[in-house]
Amino acid sequence: YRGNSTADWALCLLDEAIPDAIAESVNTEADRIERGGDLVLMGYGCTRPGGGGGNDGTLRIGSAPVISTPSGRDYDIVTRGSSALCFGDSGGPSFYVDEETGLRYQTGINSRGDIRTTSYLSSLHVDTVQEFYQDWSERNGVFICGIHEEAEGCFNDAW
């Protein structure tokens, strides 16, 4: 993300498939994310404000309301609430959950935060990352859940 810390995205290509792995579906719809709506945050980091506790191999899941959405070259979704990212949570997923259908969509990449209340998530629905994902998938001959109808093994088979 050289030159823009809000563009904190990466993809990895494995040499072989992980048996029985299920991939999350990437959120491509901007209207799923709105101010005041909750996102689910996940990570292995802190359990106390200020950075203490955690990092013990236990996955923690919490939710926090969105206070800001991407605009221009600022690709962050910002949440503020009782759950926040901590050291070691970077690179993990954050999700939008559709209350009507129960379907879950990966909406951002955990990037950074203040460890207490505020988290910055690099959004996955903006054009810049969608172009990056498309180019990467074409170069590597793979499909991405939520982006390509041909993708297999997706958690949300919404196609």
Side-chain angles (χ1 to χ4, degrees), residues 1 7-12 75 109 123-124 126-140 142 144 147-148:
Y1 57 78
D8 192 3
W9 308 296
L11 292 169
C12 299
Y75 304 125
I109 304 293
S123 174
L124 297 178
V126 296
D127 291 342
T128 303
V129 75
Q130 294 294 311
E131 292 168 12
F132 166 62
Y133 278 19
Q134 288 286 359
D135 291 344
W136 184 91
S137 66
E138 287 175 22
R139 280 194 320 273
N140 290 286
V142 297
I144 299 173
I147 294 178
H148 301 103

Side-chain angles (χ1 to χ4, degrees), residues 35-60:
R35 289 183 184 160
D38 281 347
L39 294 183
V40 175
L41 306 177
M42 301 175 101
Y44 292 90
C46 313
T47 57
R48 294 187 301 269
N55 294 308
D56 55 6
T58 300
L59 177 63
R60 292 170 177 81

Side-chain angles (χ1 to χ4, degrees), residues 80-127:
R80 185 170 295 138
S82 61
S83 295
L85 300 180
C86 191
F87 310 116
D89 293 339
S90 298
S94 53
F95 297 95
Y96 162 80
V97 179
D98 186 308
E99 290 182 16
E100 290 181 26
T101 65
L103 295 177
R104 178 175 72 198
Y105 300 89
Q106 185 179 2
T107 194
I109 304 293
N110 297 346
S111 183
R112 59 205 185 286
D114 70 0
I115 307 171
R116 291 171 184 80
T117 61
T118 307
S119 300
Y120 298 88
L121 318 167
S122 292
S123 174
L124 297 178
H125 71 267
V126 296
D127 291 342

Side-chain angles (χ1 to χ4, degrees), residues 15-74:
D15 289 337
E16 56 187 61
I18 298 172
D20 302 320
I22 298 173
E24 296 293 344
S25 293
V26 172
N27 174 45
T28 59
E29 305 294 326
D31 63 350
R32 287 186 176 136
I33 311 306
E34 55 188 40
R35 289 183 184 160
D38 281 347
L39 294 183
V40 175
L41 306 177
M42 301 175 101
Y44 292 90
C46 313
T47 57
R48 294 187 301 269
N55 294 308
D56 55 6
T58 300
L59 177 63
R60 292 170 177 81
I61 302 170
S63 64
V66 173
I67 64 164
S68 178
T69 57
S71 177
R73 285 187 36 83
D74 178 348

